[in-house]
Amino acid sequence: MGCCSHFNFLFLCFLLILSNIISTSIAKKSSSSHPPIKTLVLPVTKVHYYPGPDQYVIKIKQRTPLLPIKLTIDLGLDNPFMHCDQAYVSSTYKPINCSSPVCSYANYPFEYCSNCPNGGVLNTPGCHDNTCQAYSINNISGRPGSGELFQDIVSVKSINGRSVSVPNFLFICSHTGSLLKLANDVQGMAAFGVSNISFPYQFTAAFGLEKKFAICLSPSEKSNGVIFFGNGPYVLQPGIDVSMSLTYTSLITNYFVKEYYLLLKAIKINGKFVPSDKWQYKLTFDYDKGGNGGTKIGTLLPYTVMESDIFSSVVDEFVKALGKNIPRVANVAPFDVCFNSTGIARSRLGPAVPTIELVFQNKAVWKIFGANSMVQAAKDVMCLAFVSKKEGFWSTAAIEIGGYLLEDNLIQFDLDNNRVGFSSSLLSKQTSCSNFKYTNHA
Ligand SMILES: *[C@@H]1O[C@H](CO)[C@@H](O)[C@H](O)[C@H]1NC(C)=O
Ligand SMILES: *[C@@H]1O[C@H](CO)[C@@H](O)[C@H](O)[C@H]1NC(C)=O
Ligand SMILES: *[C@@H]1O[C@H](CO)[C@@H](O)[C@H](O)[C@H]1NC(C)=O
Ligand SMILES: *[C@@H]1O[C@H](CO)[C@@H](O)[C@H](O)[C@H]1NC(C)=O
C-alpha cells in the first residue's frame, strides 16, 4: 500500500487501474470479434437400447427458444428427420414452400408437393398447404421418416467451445411412428449420407467449411466421442492431432442405395493374406448388377457383417493364428465364433489376439486389434466381433463395417476429394475418442 499513501500517488494508482480495466476490456472485445469458424464439433454418446443394438446419439439445440434435442446417427442415411407435431413449439419453424428451390435441391432431381393431410390441424408443424415433402427412413425399424420439409434454427459448438447457429437448418417433419426402436428421448435421425441436406452438407455449407467430417466413437456409454465437421487439426488430449495419422483410400458413392462404399482389396491376419480366390470378385462393387457387392461402412449395425464364404475364410485363418491353446466354446448370440478367454492376455490395445488388417485400394491399411475385434460376451467367453451374413439380411454389400470396429478409431470422410481416411486404433497413439476438450470454454 506504500505507493498510495499520498494523494497524488493515489491519483496515479487510479489511472493505472483504469488503464488496466480499459486494456483488458479491449482484449476481450478483440477476442469476441470472432475468427472465422474452421471446425464444428458434436459430442456423440453410445446408448444401450434393449432389445436392439447400441445406438450412437448426438445432442444439438434447436428451435426458438432453444431446446436440447437428441438424434441417433446413421452414416448411410440420406435425409435427416425429426418427429414433430403440435407439441413442437418454436417461433422460427418454417415449412418449405413447394416453389422454393430448396425443395428440388433436397429432393434432387424431383419435387414433391402436398397439402395438410385430412385430420391434421392446418398451419401447425407438419401440416401446411403447398409444402415440400421429402423422404427418409428409420433403418433400425424400417419405418418411414417422411413428411413436410421445414427449417428452424440449430445451435452447435465450434471447436473452441463457442456456440454458433444455423438459422435455416432443414429436417423432415416425420410422424411419431418414425421413432420406433430409437433410444429413449431420441427425436429423430441425424443423416450423414449422400444427400444435399445431410448433416455434413448442411453444416459445411452454412459456414463455408471444407466438405469433410470425421467421426470418433467412444466405446463407453459414460464418456462422449466426437464428430468434427470441416478441416483438422482434430486435437485429442494430451495434445495429439489425430488428423495427422490418417491413411486414405477412395470413397465410392453407391448411387443405387445412396451410401458410402470402400474398395477392400485383401484381408490379412497376423501379416498373412487370407486366401480369397473364391470370393475376391465380391469385393468389387458392381454397378451393372444393381450395385451388389463391395464394402460399405455404417453405424447402425454393431458388428461387421461378412458374406458367409468370406467370413469362414477369415475365421479359419484367425483360429490358426490364435493357436491351439485357446479353445473354442459354444457360441453366444449374436456371435458365430467364440473362445474360452481365460488364456487370452490383455494389452493396451485390448485382448492380445492376432491382428486383422483390412487392405484397401491405394494400399491403405486399417489395422484391427483386440479392442475392436473381440467382445467379452459372457464370463470366460470372448467372441469375434465379426458375424456371418444371415438369411434375409437386406444389405447388398458383401461386407458391412459396423460401429464396434469404428470405436476409438478416427474415420474422416473427405467428400470433396472422394476419399476416406482412417487412423487405426487411437489406443496405439496413446489417446482415445473420449479425449476431446474444447480449446477454450467461452
Ligand atoms: C435402409 O433401408 C432401405 C430400405 O429397406 C435400404 O434400401 C437401405 O439400403 C437401408 N440403408 C441403410 C443405411 O441401412
Ligand atoms: C408458396 O408459394 C405459393 C405459390 O407458389 C404462394 O401462393 C404461397 O403464398 C407461398 N407460401 C408461403 C408460405 O410462402
Ligand atoms: C444436389 O443438388 C444438385 C443440384 O442442385 C445435384 O446436381 C446433385 O446431384 C445433388 N446431390 C445429391 C447428393 O443429391
Ligand atoms: C475356460 O477354461 C478354464 C480353464 O481351463 C475352465 O476352468 C473354464 O471352465 C473354461 N470356461 C469355459 C466357458 O469354457
Side-chain angles (χ1 to χ4, degrees):
M1 284 278 113
C3 88
C4 302
S5 48
H6 297 286
F7 174 78
N8 49 346
F9 278 139
L10 203 66
F11 184 68
L12 198 71
C13 283
F14 170 75
L15 280 184
L16 271 173
I17 290 165
L18 193 71
S19 72
N20 229 331
I21 289 171
I22 290 170
S23 64
T24 50
S25 83
I26 285 173
K28 273 220 181 92
K29 262 237 176 73
S30 64
S31 77
S32 73
S33 71
H34 302 298
I37 289 156
K38 280 174 60 195
T39 314
L40 297 178
V41 168
L42 284 180
V44 55
T45 316
K46 180 161 154 172
V47 177
H48 276 319
Y49 173 76
Y50 185 80
D54 295 337
Q55 294 171 26
Y56 300 95
V57 173
I58 56 163
K59 213 191 266 176
I60 58 169
K61 286 185 179 160
Q62 189 207 34
R63 313 178 191 185
T64 307
L66 285 173
L67 198 69
I69 304 285
K70 288 182 181 173
L71 303 164
T72 294
I73 66 168
D74 183 348
L75 265 191
L77 185 66
D78 49 1
N79 295 334
F81 66 83
M82 178 183 297
H83 168 52
C84 67
D85 57 15
Q86 288 165 67
Y88 185 113
V89 178
S90 173
S91 60
T92 41
Y93 181 99
K94 189 168 171 254
I96 302 300
N97 204 329
C98 281
S99 52
S100 160
V102 173
C103 187
S104 48
Y105 172 73
N107 280 319
Y108 182 80
F110 302 108
E111 259 170 59
Y112 303 97
C113 206
S114 171
N115 289 333
C116 177
N118 285 337
V121 180
L122 187 62
N123 297 334
T124 58
C127 209
H128 294 83
D129 283 343
N130 193 30
T131 50
C132 181
Q133 303 291 304
Y135 294 89
S136 190
I137 183 166
N138 169 348
N139 261 326
I140 298 178
S141 63
R143 293 295 180 96
S146 308
E148 170 174 292
L149 190 66
F150 73 97
Q151 66 177 49
D152 206 339
I153 188 167
V154 159
S155 169
V156 294
K157 283 189 170 177
S158 84
I159 199 159
N160 61 12
R162 183 160 64 91
S163 293
V164 293
S165 53
V166 184
N168 52 358
F169 200 92
L170 296 162
F171 275 97
I172 294 167
C173 169
S174 66
H175 192 262
T176 156
S178 65
L179 301 184
L180 189 72
K181 296 195 180 169
L182 296 186
N184 256 354
D185 299 331
V186 167
Q187 306 196 34
M189 295 189 96
F192 282 75
V194 184
S195 139
N196 278 325
I197 64 165
S198 72
F199 267 46
Y201 278 71
Q202 289 203 62
F203 277 125
T204 58
F207 296 100
L209 308 179
E210 286 186 40
K211 217 188 292 156
K212 283 178 188 170
F213 70 98
I215 177 165
C216 200
L217 301 173
S218 167
S220 160
E221 296 138 79
K222 296 191 182 70
S223 53
N224 290 335
V226 60
I227 297 173
F228 300 97
F229 297 96
N231 229 339
Y234 311 132
V235 178
L236 301 179
Q237 308 254 312
I240 299 166
D241 176 8
V242 287
S243 71
M244 300 306 284
S245 50
L246 296 171
T247 322
Y248 288 95
T249 186
S250 316
L251 176 66
I252 303 160
T253 301
N254 179 341
Y255 283 100
F256 286 93
V257 288
K258 290 191 170 175
E259 284 181 62
Y260 300 128
Y261 275 62
L262 309 175
L263 187 50
L264 184 69
K265 291 286 203 181
I267 304 173
K268 282 166 134 184
I269 291 178
N270 266 0
K272 194 163 160 270
F273 283 102
V274 173
S276 62
D277 26 313
K278 292 206 194 79
W279 44 260
Q280 186 71 37
Y281 70 96
K282 293 187 180 175
L283 298 181
T284 311
F285 153 74
D286 190 345
Y287 275 108
D288 299 332
K289 291 185 183 134
N292 280 334
T295 300
K296 78 173 179 180
I297 180 165
T299 46
L300 291 190
L301 294 176
Y303 307 112
T304 298
V305 178
M306 295 174 156
E307 288 271 358
S308 57
D309 47 359
I310 304 178
F311 181 74
S312 53
S313 305
V314 167
V315 169
D316 286 350
E317 293 304 314
F318 190 83
V319 168
K320 246 189 268 170
L322 195 57
K324 290 201 174 65
N325 295 335
I326 311 293
R328 280 177 72 166
V329 296
N331 290 338
V332 174
F335 302 103
D336 297 309
V337 179
C338 298
F339 303 92
N340 184 323
S341 64
T342 50
I344 299 179
R346 287 261 159 191
S347 78
R348 197 161 39 81
L349 305 176
V353 295
T355 309
I356 301 173
E357 288 168 82
L358 302 180
V359 184
F360 291 97
Q361 192 184 35
N362 304 342
K363 300 201 170 74
V365 176
W366 186 338
K367 263 194 171 181
I368 302 159
F369 303 101
N372 295 101
S373 65
M374 300 298 283
V375 178
Q376 190 79 52
K379 189 178 181 298
D380 293 348
V381 179
M382 225 177 244
C383 305
L384 194 62
F386 293 76
V387 294
S388 180
K389 198 163 170 175
K390 308 289 189 297
E391 205 69 51
F393 187 69
W394 44 254
S395 170
T396 53
I399 297 179
E400 183 168 357
I401 294 174
Y404 195 78
L405 199 57
L406 307 186
E407 292 176 353
D408 279 336
N409 283 248
L410 181 85
I411 320 292
Q412 187 198 56
F413 292 81
D414 179 348
L415 304 173
D416 278 331
N417 299 305
N418 290 317
R419 56 180 195 160
V420 183
F422 35 81
S423 65
S424 292
S425 180
L426 296 178
L427 304 178
S428 69
K429 298 171 173 59
Q430 333 293 333
T431 186
S432 74
C433 288
S434 56
N435 278 1
F436 173 76
K437 298 272 185 307
Y438 294 103
T439 46
N440 72 60
H441 289 265

